[in-house]
Amino acid sequence: QVQLVESGGGSVQAGGSLRLSCAASGFTHSSYSMGWFRQAPGKEREGVAHIDNDGRISYSDSVKGRFTISQDKAKHILYLQMNSLKPEDTAMYYCAAQAGRRGWGWRFASHFGYWGQGTQVTVSS
């Protein structure tokens, strides 16, 4: 059974940085696509950053140049380094995983079957 556990959220001032981690376990397929999503109150869950099963990395326009996704495959940990944080980055952040390639569909929450419980990020102005 795939389990994803996020950590690293918190409260920071605008311009600050946070690093989120997602510890993964229970993978049974040979390769997984993994991503970070976020959901603010009253808004849909949106894709933020993604590493496809072939290593291709993608970002949403809203975080490109400020956030960096990476993974330690040996330790099965996914990271999201968030710099130059803005108040509009405030949201619950979720780690997601799915066997196989996601491609263009990575931005859609419905394309992922495994989710963590989320970690809150709050950015004050």
Side-chain angles (χ1 to χ4, degrees):
Q1 181 176 352
V2 174
Q3 288 191 323
L4 304 172
V5 180
E6 303 98 332
S7 61
S11 297
V12 296
Q13 290 192 327
S17 298
L18 284 172
R19 188 175 82 155
L20 306 183
S21 299
C22 171
S25 62
F27 284 169
T28 58
H29 288 263
S30 59
S31 66
Y32 283 78
S33 169
M34 297 192 70
W36 287 98
F37 285 73
R38 66 186 181 187
Q39 188 168 21
K43 295 189 176 181
E44 292 188 358
R45 192 169 296 190
E46 63 169 344
V48 173
H50 172 247
I51 295 181
D52 217 333
N53 69 335
D54 61 0
R56 185 170 302 186
I57 290 176
S58 303
Y59 297 97
S60 67
D61 289 342
S62 61
V63 307
K64 198 173 295 182
R66 299 187 298 121
F67 290 11
T68 302
I69 189 171
S70 61
Q71 62 181 10
D72 184 331
K73 283 193 172 183
K75 296 182 179 179
H76 302 292
I77 300 176
L78 183 72
Y79 299 101
L80 184 68
Q81 178 66 44
M82 305 186 295
N83 298 329
S84 302
L85 282 161
K86 304 175 181 180
E88 51 263 44
D89 294 318
T90 295
M92 185 72 79
Y93 282 71
Y94 298 91
C95 174
Q98 184 60 42
R101 185 173 180 268
R102 296 299 89 195
W104 64 267
W106 75 268
R107 300 175 185 275
F108 302 100
S110 59
H111 285 229
F112 290 83
Y114 303 106
W115 293 88
Q117 82 289 349
T119 185
Q120 178 68 37
V121 172
T122 302
V123 184
S124 58
S125 58

